[in-house]
Amino acid sequence: MGATTVHSPALTYFSMLSLLSLCPPFVILLWYTMVHADGSVVQTWNFLKQHGLQGFLEIWPRPSAIAWKLIFVYGAFEAALQLILPGKRVEGPISPTGHRPVYKANGMAAYFVTLVTYISLWWFEIFNPSVVYDHLGEIYSALIFGSLIFCVLLYIKGHVAPSSTDSGSSGNLIIDFYWGMELYPRIGKSFDIKVFTNCRFGMMSWAVLAITYCIKQYEANGKVSDSMLVNTTLMLVYVTKFFWWEAGYWNTMDIAHDRAGFYICWGCLVWVPSIYTSPGMYLVNHPVNLGTQLALYILVAGILCIYINYDCDRQRQEFRRTNGKCKIWGKAPSKIEATYTTTSGETKTSLLLTSGWWGLARHFHYVPEILASFFWTVPALFNHFLPYFYVVYLTILLIDRAKRDDDRCRSKYGKYWKLYCNKVPYKIIPGIY
């Protein structure tokens, strides 16, 4: 079974080259701008204009021993929690080759243990999280190189010792490396590499860094600004929602369709800890005072968006779990019964939900997600554009994902998808797009 032919070689070369050449410098420049250039793109731009490539190489931090140590200890701690903590046995979706992955759902426990441990280390003065902030550049630099090595190892493993039948080469080295060889790579029977990179390393680092920024501001100023509290709280609520729903995430495109290659692993190991956390990074040395009323308005709006985003996912999950025999918004759901053929030639049926949140638009749940990211960035106010980079990036990412998802469903469901689109005509924003 070769790799899926969704990705043309030309597109892969282009996206891989741009990812390799543009994203690492961008991560470093974002960090530099937030931490050393007052969050001002103009200031960084002027510095680069003046000092050229030489200046850029000077601001690129070398991965230090302490950075490697912090990354290693954190990674080992998360891997240990993933293996040791008890959890309910959960089955993932059946893959095209008929393989069904089995997981141990202990994300919420791992998340709780991680945060309690991290805050306790600070509280009892065993380890000061500001160290992480002070060495952030070196940590990102180490992650950039480290994740490259990690992906090379994954590529070799995919050739030499694939974990399941859901793997294979496309015959093109670069495509294999970039889009991945294996759908469900594991070490041994139970250590799932994708759960580790996507959830336990990537998403967990988001929460750990959000707390780090908060503590750093406290250490530096003796107090935490209300803007920082709103930002940290909303990010933590979002990440808590993620871990609460982690078993549901294992059914999404990231896990069930995208193979473990450079594209996904680099994103989780480098992009999430740097770009996703950037609004908090900016707030550390830009403490904005919102005033209680405005702070509360933003907080409530943000929590509401995260709740709606969660409720969308919950609604669809409940609908699938009960095979459509549930109530949605107080009444029986309207649905389309679609049949499709698997790669092995079997005919199967799927239910497509067309009421509730899912009747508003095919990907309505992206709206509250984008709004939530706006609400945890808006405490930074509007002096600089850079804190809003994540909001813009997320919007582009989700519009692209909606398109990829639609294309996949169109080829999978055919005429049923047409029916579905007639019933739910809008892609993301009801009435507009």
mmCIF file of all heavy atoms in Angstrom, residues 16 69 73 99 120 152 192 235 241 283-284 321 335-336 349-350 392 412:
data_model
loop_
_atom_site.group_PDB
_atom_site.id
_atom_site.type_symbol
_atom_site.label_atom_id
_atom_site.label_comp_id
_atom_site.label_asym_id
_atom_site.label_seq_id
_atom_site.Cartn_x
_atom_site.Cartn_y
_atom_site.Cartn_z
ATOM 1 N N MET A 16 8.145 21.585 1.471
ATOM 2 C CA MET A 16 9.251 21.159 2.322
ATOM 3 C C MET A 16 10.380 22.185 2.313
ATOM 4 O O MET A 16 10.922 22.541 3.359
ATOM 5 C CB MET A 16 9.798 19.812 1.868
ATOM 6 C CG MET A 16 11.016 19.412 2.664
ATOM 7 S SD MET A 16 11.214 17.649 2.715
ATOM 8 C CE MET A 16 12.823 17.541 3.465
ATOM 9 N N LYS A 69 19.290 19.865 28.143
ATOM 10 C CA LYS A 69 18.942 19.201 29.391
ATOM 11 C C LYS A 69 17.453 19.410 29.710
ATOM 12 O O LYS A 69 16.737 18.463 30.038
ATOM 13 C CB LYS A 69 19.813 19.749 30.525
ATOM 14 C CG LYS A 69 19.915 18.803 31.712
ATOM 15 C CD LYS A 69 21.102 19.151 32.603
ATOM 16 C CE LYS A 69 20.607 19.969 33.798
ATOM 17 N NZ LYS A 69 21.689 20.401 34.688
ATOM 18 N N VAL A 73 14.797 16.355 29.888
ATOM 19 C CA VAL A 73 14.104 16.035 31.138
ATOM 20 C C VAL A 73 12.585 16.115 30.936
ATOM 21 O O VAL A 73 11.840 15.231 31.355
ATOM 22 C CB VAL A 73 14.560 16.965 32.291
ATOM 23 C CG1 VAL A 73 13.661 16.814 33.510
ATOM 24 C CG2 VAL A 73 16.007 16.669 32.653
ATOM 25 N N HIS A 99 -6.627 -1.812 9.973
ATOM 26 C CA HIS A 99 -5.968 -1.894 11.277
ATOM 27 C C HIS A 99 -6.646 -0.921 12.243
ATOM 28 O O HIS A 99 -6.988 0.185 11.864
ATOM 29 C CB HIS A 99 -4.484 -1.529 11.085
ATOM 30 C CG HIS A 99 -3.732 -1.278 12.342
ATOM 31 N ND1 HIS A 99 -3.377 -2.282 13.196
ATOM 32 C CD2 HIS A 99 -3.261 -0.126 12.899
ATOM 33 C CE1 HIS A 99 -2.710 -1.754 14.220
ATOM 34 N NE2 HIS A 99 -2.630 -0.453 14.059
ATOM 35 N N SER A 120 4.717 23.075 41.620
ATOM 36 C CA SER A 120 5.320 22.700 42.914
ATOM 37 C C SER A 120 6.828 22.944 42.907
ATOM 38 O O SER A 120 7.383 23.430 43.895
ATOM 39 C CB SER A 120 5.065 21.230 43.236
ATOM 40 O OG SER A 120 3.681 20.984 43.215
ATOM 41 N N VAL A 152 14.430 12.140 10.964
ATOM 42 C CA VAL A 152 15.297 11.228 10.213
ATOM 43 C C VAL A 152 15.193 9.820 10.808
ATOM 44 O O VAL A 152 15.058 8.833 10.087
ATOM 45 C CB VAL A 152 16.766 11.716 10.203
ATOM 46 C CG1 VAL A 152 17.691 10.643 9.634
ATOM 47 C CG2 VAL A 152 16.891 13.007 9.398
ATOM 48 N N ASP A 192 2.977 5.060 21.761
ATOM 49 C CA ASP A 192 2.599 5.648 20.484
ATOM 50 C C ASP A 192 3.351 6.956 20.258
ATOM 51 O O ASP A 192 3.220 7.910 21.019
ATOM 52 C CB ASP A 192 1.088 5.908 20.481
ATOM 53 C CG ASP A 192 0.590 6.239 19.091
ATOM 54 O OD1 ASP A 192 0.832 7.368 18.638
ATOM 55 O OD2 ASP A 192 -0.030 5.372 18.447
ATOM 56 N N MET A 235 -5.623 30.191 27.611
ATOM 57 C CA MET A 235 -4.791 29.155 26.991
ATOM 58 C C MET A 235 -4.891 27.853 27.780
ATOM 59 O O MET A 235 -5.004 26.772 27.201
ATOM 60 C CB MET A 235 -3.339 29.609 26.912
ATOM 61 C CG MET A 235 -3.057 30.576 25.783
ATOM 62 S SD MET A 235 -1.262 30.761 25.647
ATOM 63 C CE MET A 235 -1.113 31.911 24.318
ATOM 64 N N LYS A 241 -9.256 21.611 27.792
ATOM 65 C CA LYS A 241 -10.306 21.066 26.915
ATOM 66 C C LYS A 241 -9.698 20.038 25.972
ATOM 67 O O LYS A 241 -10.258 18.966 25.753
ATOM 68 C CB LYS A 241 -10.947 22.193 26.083
ATOM 69 C CG LYS A 241 -12.007 21.685 25.126
ATOM 70 C CD LYS A 241 -12.021 22.434 23.788
ATOM 71 C CE LYS A 241 -10.901 22.010 22.882
ATOM 72 N NZ LYS A 241 -11.224 22.115 21.461
ATOM 73 N N LEU A 283 3.527 39.172 26.164
ATOM 74 C CA LEU A 283 2.985 39.841 27.350
ATOM 75 C C LEU A 283 3.966 39.903 28.522
ATOM 76 O O LEU A 283 3.848 40.771 29.374
ATOM 77 C CB LEU A 283 1.685 39.163 27.799
ATOM 78 C CG LEU A 283 0.443 39.498 26.967
ATOM 79 C CD1 LEU A 283 -0.686 38.547 27.302
ATOM 80 C CD2 LEU A 283 -0.012 40.943 27.186
ATOM 81 N N VAL A 284 4.953 38.977 28.544
ATOM 82 C CA VAL A 284 5.898 38.950 29.667
ATOM 83 C C VAL A 284 6.491 40.334 29.922
ATOM 84 O O VAL A 284 6.447 40.841 31.038
ATOM 85 C CB VAL A 284 7.042 37.930 29.422
ATOM 86 C CG1 VAL A 284 8.130 38.061 30.479
ATOM 87 C CG2 VAL A 284 6.488 36.521 29.432
ATOM 88 N N ARG A 321 -21.408 7.918 18.319
ATOM 89 C CA ARG A 321 -21.386 6.863 19.329
ATOM 90 C C ARG A 321 -22.745 6.177 19.427
ATOM 91 O O ARG A 321 -22.835 4.953 19.559
ATOM 92 C CB ARG A 321 -21.002 7.462 20.687
ATOM 93 C CG ARG A 321 -20.540 6.456 21.725
ATOM 94 C CD ARG A 321 -20.181 7.155 23.020
ATOM 95 N NE ARG A 321 -21.312 7.927 23.576
ATOM 96 C CZ ARG A 321 -22.314 7.400 24.255
ATOM 97 N NH1 ARG A 321 -22.377 6.103 24.451
ATOM 98 N NH2 ARG A 321 -23.287 8.164 24.732
ATOM 99 N N LYS A 335 -30.095 13.727 9.466
ATOM 100 C CA LYS A 335 -28.842 13.109 9.018
ATOM 101 C C LYS A 335 -28.962 12.567 7.599
ATOM 102 O O LYS A 335 -30.061 12.421 7.047
ATOM 103 C CB LYS A 335 -28.456 11.978 9.969
ATOM 104 C CG LYS A 335 -29.553 10.920 10.148
ATOM 105 C CD LYS A 335 -29.146 9.882 11.175
ATOM 106 C CE LYS A 335 -30.160 8.759 11.290
ATOM 107 N NZ LYS A 335 -31.328 9.132 12.111
ATOM 108 N N ILE A 336 -27.809 12.280 7.013
ATOM 109 C CA ILE A 336 -27.767 11.647 5.695
ATOM 110 C C ILE A 336 -27.002 10.333 5.861
ATOM 111 O O ILE A 336 -25.936 10.301 6.482
ATOM 112 C CB ILE A 336 -27.041 12.553 4.672
ATOM 113 C CG1 ILE A 336 -27.887 13.791 4.358
ATOM 114 C CG2 ILE A 336 -26.711 11.784 3.395
ATOM 115 C CD1 ILE A 336 -27.175 14.837 3.540
ATOM 116 N N THR A 349 -21.241 2.050 5.611
ATOM 117 C CA THR A 349 -22.086 3.243 5.691
ATOM 118 C C THR A 349 -21.616 4.154 6.807
ATOM 119 O O THR A 349 -21.086 3.700 7.824
ATOM 120 C CB THR A 349 -23.576 2.896 5.956
ATOM 121 O OG1 THR A 349 -23.620 2.127 7.153
ATOM 122 C CG2 THR A 349 -24.195 2.148 4.811
ATOM 123 N N SER A 350 -21.799 5.445 6.574
ATOM 124 C CA SER A 350 -21.476 6.458 7.565
ATOM 125 C C SER A 350 -22.674 7.371 7.698
ATOM 126 O O SER A 350 -23.405 7.578 6.722
ATOM 127 C CB SER A 350 -20.304 7.309 7.077
ATOM 128 O OG SER A 350 -19.110 6.878 7.653
ATOM 129 N N VAL A 392 -3.826 34.876 12.769
ATOM 130 C CA VAL A 392 -3.829 34.908 11.300
ATOM 131 C C VAL A 392 -3.433 33.544 10.748
ATOM 132 O O VAL A 392 -4.076 32.994 9.853
ATOM 133 C CB VAL A 392 -2.861 36.008 10.792
ATOM 134 C CG1 VAL A 392 -2.748 35.966 9.274
ATOM 135 C CG2 VAL A 392 -3.326 37.383 11.260
ATOM 136 N N LYS A 412 -14.627 10.446 -1.057
ATOM 137 C CA LYS A 412 -15.030 9.266 -0.307
ATOM 138 C C LYS A 412 -16.529 8.992 -0.453
ATOM 139 O O LYS A 412 -16.944 7.851 -0.644
ATOM 140 C CB LYS A 412 -14.683 9.468 1.174
ATOM 141 C CG LYS A 412 -15.090 8.313 2.089
ATOM 142 C CD LYS A 412 -14.598 8.574 3.520
ATOM 143 C CE LYS A 412 -15.138 7.576 4.517
ATOM 144 N NZ LYS A 412 -14.673 7.830 5.881
#
